[in-house]
């Protein structure tokens, strides 16, 4: 159902001329080489703009990076889609997509990066063994916000899965990843 909402939202935006970059990620999937390059760029932005990012990445057992997640909405239907890679010890292990749909008044679009840090082997192994993983249903994910001086709020860093939503200016606020579905894809 949510995948259909995403397709509807992107189709509507394309029809009225607002879809431009939002239609491209679904219609033209990026190659593995392009995804890997975008993942490294997203991690660089994360490390440059978020104090404490290096420590989180060093402690994580695996990091799932969606460097370009496109979110679009028109009237009462919205959705988001992006492709990314799972890194373990800095090396790409597999590719995934993330998709979600939403209801309620919304208009416009944005691009963001989503970084999920798996902080122990148990949650990483459970994620890797899944056929389709839904945030909130298959695992609880802690969305990290920044504290004073743009640093990560360290009181929540002991959670098993940490999520960061980043744009070119740093962490983004007031977001939810609840209900987003992550699926392994072939590249």
């Amino acid at each position: 159902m949510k995948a259909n909402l995403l397709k509807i939202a992107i189709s509507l935006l394309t029809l009225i001329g607002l879809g431009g970059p939002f239609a491209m990620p679904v219609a033209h999937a990026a190659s593995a080489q392009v995804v890997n390059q975008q993942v490294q760029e997203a991690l660089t932005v994360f490390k440059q703009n978020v104090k404490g990012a290096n420590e989180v990445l060093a402690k994580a057992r695996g990091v799932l990076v969606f460097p370009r997640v496109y979110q679009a909405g028109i009237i009462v239907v919205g959705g988001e889609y992006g492709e990314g890679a799972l890194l373990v010890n800095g090396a790409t292990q597999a590719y995934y997509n993330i998709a979600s749909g939403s209801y309620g008044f919304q208009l416009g679009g944005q691009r963001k990066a989503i970084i999920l840090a798996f902080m122990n082997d148990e949650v990483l192994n459970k994620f890797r063994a899944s056929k389709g993983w839904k945030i909130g249903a298959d695992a609880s994910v802690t969305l990290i916000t920044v504290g004073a001086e743009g640093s990560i709020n360290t009181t929540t860093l002991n959670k098993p899965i940490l999520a960061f939503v980043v744009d070119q200016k740093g962490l983004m606020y007031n977001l939810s990843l609840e209900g987003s579905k992550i699926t392994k894809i072939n590249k």
Side-chain angles (χ1 to χ4, degrees):
M1 176 82 167
K2 289 187 179 187
N4 290 335
L5 289 176
L6 173 65
K7 290 176 186 174
I8 291 168
I10 291 173
S11 297
L12 288 172
L13 287 171
T14 302
L15 284 173
I16 63 170
L18 296 174
F22 301 106
M24 300 229 4
V26 174
H28 305 288
S31 69
Q33 182 180 6
V34 169
V35 171
N36 290 337
Q37 179 182 350
Q38 292 172 348
V39 163
Q40 292 307 314
E41 291 168 1
L43 288 172
T44 298
V45 169
F46 179 54
K47 290 185 253 185
Q48 289 174 342
N49 293 302
V50 179
K51 294 177 187 175
N54 286 320
E55 292 78 10
V56 169
L57 294 173
K59 290 179 183 176
R61 306 304 294 157
V63 180
L64 180 59
V65 181
F66 295 101
R68 296 185 179 180
V69 178
Y70 295 87
Q71 183 175 5
I74 183 164
I75 313 302
V76 295
V77 178
E80 68 181 17
Y81 180 85
E83 294 182 354
L86 174 65
L87 306 177
V88 177
N89 297 320
T92 299
Q93 300 297 304
Y95 297 95
Y96 293 84
N97 67 27
I98 186 169
S100 69
S102 59
Y103 297 103
F105 181 76
Q106 47 203 312
L107 182 62
Q110 68 176 347
R111 187 182 88 185
K112 60 191 174 193
I114 298 173
I115 299 167
L116 295 171
F118 297 91
M119 303 308 287
N120 65 56
D121 288 323
E122 181 183 346
V123 294
L124 176 60
N125 292 336
K126 185 176 178 183
F127 169 76
R128 292 175 87 177
S130 71
K131 299 286 185 222
W133 195 75
K134 194 171 187 178
I135 295 175
D138 294 313
S140 178
V141 174
T142 303
L143 186 61
I144 302 297
T145 58
V146 293
E149 302 174 8
S151 59
I152 295 171
N153 178 352
T154 57
T155 60
T156 57
L157 292 183
N158 61 345
K159 303 294 184 182
I161 306 171
L162 307 176
F164 303 87
V165 181
V166 184
D167 68 5
Q168 292 295 324
K169 298 174 189 149
L171 291 180
M172 297 174 73
Y173 297 94
N174 298 325
L175 297 168
S176 173
L177 300 176
E178 197 78 17
S180 296
K181 185 167 184 185
I182 298 172
T183 307
K184 190 173 184 179
I185 56 175
N186 295 318
K187 287 276 173 200

